[in-house]
Amino acid sequence: MGVKGDRLSKFSVLATEELVQKLAMISGVSTKKMFGGHGVFHDGKMFGIVDSKGAVYFKVDENMVSTYLDKGSTKHGRMPYYSVPETILNDLDALKIWAQNSIEHSKK
């Protein structure tokens, strides 16, 4: 997401559409426009964000931070969301695992 009041960007829209297609194997995934980007939800619980520049972030618990950092992820501000690297976004099996981990964490 971006700053409150930001306009929705084409980068966010395209990245969100692509992410939703890639996560189609997980039922219950939806999105909502928020602050120039999108929130990514599973059964009503937010587990990810796509910022106004089209970068994808997943919610991460303390046990997963090192895995994300080892792959080159960066933290999104003060929120517990870390960027999902291109290598993961382009590997559907890995993306599914990362998304499912984030979904499980978002339910706690």
Side-chain angles (χ1 to χ4, degrees):
M1 293 182 304
V3 178
K4 187 173 183 176
D6 273 356
R7 291 179 180 235
L8 188 63
S9 74
K10 66 179 178 180
F11 304 111
S12 181
V13 172
L14 293 173
T16 301
E17 288 173 354
E18 184 176 341
L19 180 64
V20 168
Q21 287 176 345
K22 289 180 176 183
L23 295 178
M25 74 289 244
I26 302 173
S27 64
V29 173
S30 62
T31 63
K32 179 181 174 183
K33 297 174 191 173
M34 302 175 79
F35 305 122
H38 291 82
V40 184
F41 298 81
H42 180 265
D43 293 339
K45 296 278 188 174
M46 192 161 92
F47 74 94
I49 57 177
V50 179
D51 72 9
S52 59
K53 296 176 184 154
V56 177
Y57 295 81
F58 284 163
K59 191 170 189 178
V60 177
D61 68 6
E62 59 279 351
N63 297 322
M64 292 299 297
V65 170
S66 63
T67 300
Y68 275 67
L69 293 175
D70 288 346
K71 294 287 186 181
S73 296
T74 56
K75 189 174 182 186
H76 187 281
R78 289 186 248 165
M79 298 189 302
Y81 291 83
Y82 285 78
S83 61
V84 179
E86 285 294 319
T87 55
I88 301 299
L89 288 170
N90 293 325
D91 179 339
L92 293 182
D93 292 329
L95 181 61
K96 181 180 179 182
I97 292 167
W98 280 41
Q100 288 175 323
N101 287 335
S102 185
I103 288 166
E104 287 305 311
H105 172 64
S106 71
K107 293 179 180 181
K108 294 180 183 179

